[in-house]
């Protein structure tokens, strides 16, 4: 949780700690998946990893996500 880490998304510390906890030391094979551009996707950008914006509400606008899906089943194509 952000309380335990002492930082909240989009601070990349959240993702850094998550990878440390699972003893994973590379960024090139991880992705953050989320429905918030301002926290989830921005955290991925800040941590320099791929991101997937889950856009279930039809948001139309620019975003910095590597991928975007409008249905959860489409995540299989990315993963």
């Amino acid at each position: 949780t952000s309380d335990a880490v002492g930082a909240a998304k989009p601070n990349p510390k959240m993702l850094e700690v998550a990878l440390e906890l699972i003893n994973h030391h590379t960024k090139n094979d991880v992705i953050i998946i989320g429905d918030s551009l301002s926290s989830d996707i921005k955290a991925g950008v800040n941590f320099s990893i791929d991101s997937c914006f889950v856009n279930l509400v039809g948001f139309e606008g620019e975003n910095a996500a590597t991928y975007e899906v409008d249905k959860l089943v489409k995540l299989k194509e990315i993963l």
Side-chain angles (χ1 to χ4, degrees):
T1 65
S2 59
D3 287 338
V5 172
K9 294 179 289 184
N11 187 318
K13 181 78 173 166
M14 290 289 295
L15 300 174
E16 181 181 320
V17 170
L19 291 184
E20 286 174 8
L21 287 172
I22 62 170
N23 200 30
H24 192 86
H25 304 289
T26 60
K27 294 183 186 181
N28 64 339
D29 60 352
V30 296
I31 185 171
I32 185 168
I33 299 168
D35 63 353
S36 172
L37 292 172
S38 62
S39 63
D40 303 322
I41 304 309
K42 183 69 175 164
V45 169
N46 290 346
F47 195 53
S48 300
I49 62 170
D50 285 343
S51 59
C52 181
F53 176 43
V54 179
N55 186 3
L56 302 178
V57 297
F59 170 78
E60 293 184 17
E62 293 207 24
N63 72 70
T66 312
Y67 306 99
E68 181 175 338
V69 296
D70 60 358
K71 293 181 173 77
L72 292 176
V73 69
K74 291 183 178 180
L75 287 172
K76 289 197 282 186
E77 298 169 15
I78 295 167
L79 302 175

